[in-house]
Amino acid sequence: MKARKTATRRLRAPSLPAAALHRAEQLCTKAGERLTPARINAYAELLTQKNPISAYELLALMEQREGRKLAPLTVYRQLDFLVRVGLVHKLTSAQAYVACEHPDHPHDTLYLVCSSCGKADELESERVAELLSKAARSRGFKPGKAIVEVPGLCQTCRQPPDGADGIGVAGAR
Amino acid sequence: MKARKTATRRLRAPSLPAAALHRAEQLCTKAGERLTPARINAYAELLTQKNPISAYELLALMEQREGRKLAPLTVYRQLDFLVRVGLVHKLTSAQAYVACEHPDHPHDTLYLVCSSCGKADELESERVAELLSKAARSRGFKPGKAIVEVPGLCQTCRQPPDGADGIGVAGAR
DNA sequence: AACAATAACGTTATAACGTAACACTATACA
DNA sequence: TGTATAGTGTTACGTTATAACGTTATTGTT
Ligand SMILES: [Zn+2]
Ligand SMILES: [Zn+2]
Ligand SMILES: [Zn+2]
Ligand SMILES: [Zn+2]
């Protein structure tokens, strides 16, 4: 008793690019995880965003897209999944989420995060990973994926060209 | 003019060690910040803790110590201050706070955080700081103090000696 | 000492972030 | 076909953090 299709109410998914979808499928297969429509939607929505967004911002976007109310938990579960398989990183210092720029292989979370405009620039550094891993193991500590977040001012937000300091970011070296 | 204390109502501060107090005073003087009794109390209470604690845990401890209700905001303000002057670090991935182990000079936040027992081991690495700073500047990014948190299992919590994996164990604090 | 300016503190209310519990649904596999 | 496992939806709740505003303490100046 639920067959009735109530005249599509703006259900268009954000249309995840085929290449991204394919990569995601492979990643999930390899990890023994299931890539469901709901998860695809969440990922696609995140991919439309240029900057990291909070879970509740994603919630609002998805609600608008799907034309119905969603529970926060829904979004959190999908984010947990996306982070788990490595498609998305959590910026813990900003309590925000952003799609990984090279999800093909697992790696640490390593970002430059602009305190002014919110932009997050993902880096990769084998040397940092190596240093941290070595330091950890030398203390008998078994390390997981490191979280490295460098707050500061991006090039654009440094506009005021004279040496003037911008935001109150302490201790720039 | 100072009103006499009204028959001590368990107001015993946790007695901040004199050396720590002295260091804190110097730090604040240098930074042009005021070290008030309330702030000293918060710091002292944090110093009694072996592991990082949440703001609300600190709130409860201080309420118990002072025998009265406090507002969360009070504690948050004191924590902001302590982090600002460098006496305390925030472990952003655990939403917890811990006293710095060498507050004498400013430095990045760099911890090994056990996902099982919650212990946080503070490291210092000039090389990591240097690498991050260099990478940032090479992109026109003006870096502040980096946040580096490595989750994992501490030596103690690795007890189960067979090679079994243990990462990802939730529920530290 | 009196004053003004600023920083810290207290209080109430509320916003933002995240999870527990439970019932239901889909898929995989014997 | 059953049975086990994983995913989803819903309600309610818990935790973390801040806004707004008025009061008190400190500092520097007259
Ligand atoms: Zn990535
Ligand atoms: Zn910026
Ligand atoms: Zn430190
Ligand atoms: Zn441990």
Side-chain angles (χ1 to χ4, degrees), chain B residues 37-92:
Chain B
R39 289 170 169 182
I40 292 174
N41 285 345
Y43 183 41
E45 200 68 54
L46 255 185
L47 278 176
T48 68
Q49 299 298 305
K50 195 160 156 275
N51 280 5
I53 60 174
S54 77
Y56 277 73
E57 284 171 329
L58 178 58
L59 175 64
L61 287 170
M62 292 182 67
E63 283 180 345
Q64 191 168 15
R65 176 86 61 179
E66 305 193 12
R68 62 175 175 136
K69 278 285 178 191
L70 297 175
L73 192 48
T74 304
V75 168
Y76 278 104
R77 285 198 281 225
Q78 288 161 3
L79 284 171
D80 282 349
F81 161 80
L82 292 169
V83 169
R84 194 166 64 237
V85 300
L87 288 169
V88 164
H89 296 293
K90 174 172 187 177
L91 288 183
T92 182

Side-chain angles (χ1 to χ4, degrees), chain B residues 114-119 153-157:
Chain B
C114 180
S115 314
S116 175
C117 69
K119 192 178 108 179
L153 285 180
C154 75
Q155 195 153 34
T156 310
C157 291

Side-chain angles (χ1 to χ4, degrees), chain A residues 52-132:
Chain A
I53 60 174
S54 77
Y56 275 72
E57 284 170 330
L58 177 58
L59 175 64
L61 287 170
M62 293 182 66
E63 283 180 344
Q64 191 167 13
R65 177 85 61 179
E66 305 194 12
R68 60 174 177 138
K69 278 285 177 191
L70 297 176
L73 192 47
T74 303
V75 169
Y76 277 105
R77 286 197 280 223
Q78 289 161 1
L79 284 171
D80 283 349
F81 161 80
L82 292 169
V83 169
R84 193 165 66 236
V85 300
L87 288 168
V88 164
H89 296 294
K90 174 172 188 178
L91 288 182
T92 183
S93 64
Q95 283 163 175
Y97 300 81
V98 63
C100 174
E101 290 176 21
H102 36 68
D104 317 285
H105 60 289
H107 52 269
D108 294 343
T109 295
L110 174 42
Y111 281 91
L112 308 178
V113 184
C114 180
S115 314
S116 173
C117 69
K119 193 179 106 179
D121 195 2
E122 180 168 12
L123 309 183
E124 199 162 14
S125 169
E126 196 50 54
R127 296 187 58 200
V128 169
E130 191 59 36
L131 277 176
L132 292 177

